[in-house]
Amino acid sequence: AKLVTGKYKYDHVDRYLHDLHWLQVKKHIVFKIALLSYTAINGLAPLYIQDMFSYSYQGYTPRLLTRTMNTRFGQGSLSFIGPKIFNNLPLHITTADSIVSF
């Protein structure tokens, strides 16, 4: 962001990220995982990604079923962390009609 905006090395970057409509790295990763989960539920993702998730509907609300992992390495996988992130999203986001409104 500093390179794009031409700011100095020691300037704070938060304001410039907001002005450019960019996310911080951790928030960007969470967004990408949530987006992959959304596309998998709605059949927009490739089959190998859809197979990573199992879901059920509670009323009209889709809920991803969380898997149990025995190792710490497995807890970083998409099939483990994706449902946790997706299930914590607000209802109006999880039931969005399209990727654009997601």
Side-chain angles (χ1 to χ4, degrees):
K2 291 178 186 179
L3 180 67
V4 172
T5 58
K7 299 303 174 192
Y8 294 107
K9 180 178 177 180
Y10 297 106
D11 288 343
H12 289 282
V13 74
D14 292 337
R15 182 172 153 245
Y16 305 115
L17 289 174
H18 184 268
D19 292 344
L20 293 170
H21 300 284
W22 289 359
L23 293 173
Q24 295 173 350
V25 174
K26 287 183 181 181
K27 291 179 182 178
H28 186 72
I29 291 170
V30 169
F31 171 74
K32 287 294 186 178
I33 291 171
L35 184 62
L36 274 172
S37 303
Y38 173 82
T39 56
I41 286 179
N42 293 310
L44 303 172
L47 287 177
Y48 70 93
I49 292 179
Q50 291 180 27
D51 292 339
M52 291 181 188
F53 299 102
S54 52
Y55 59 93
S56 67
Y57 281 90
Q58 295 176 350
Y60 294 106
T61 307
R63 300 289 291 177
L64 290 175
L65 303 175
T66 56
R67 299 181 181 191
T68 57
M69 296 288 176
N70 296 333
T71 64
R72 187 164 172 82
F73 182 74
Q75 291 177 355
S77 67
L78 180 62
S79 60
F80 180 78
I81 200 71
K84 287 188 169 201
I85 291 174
F86 186 80
N87 291 338
N88 286 329
L89 292 174
L91 181 63
H92 70 278
I93 294 176
T94 58
T95 58
D97 294 331
S98 66
I99 292 177
V100 174
S101 60
F102 180 80

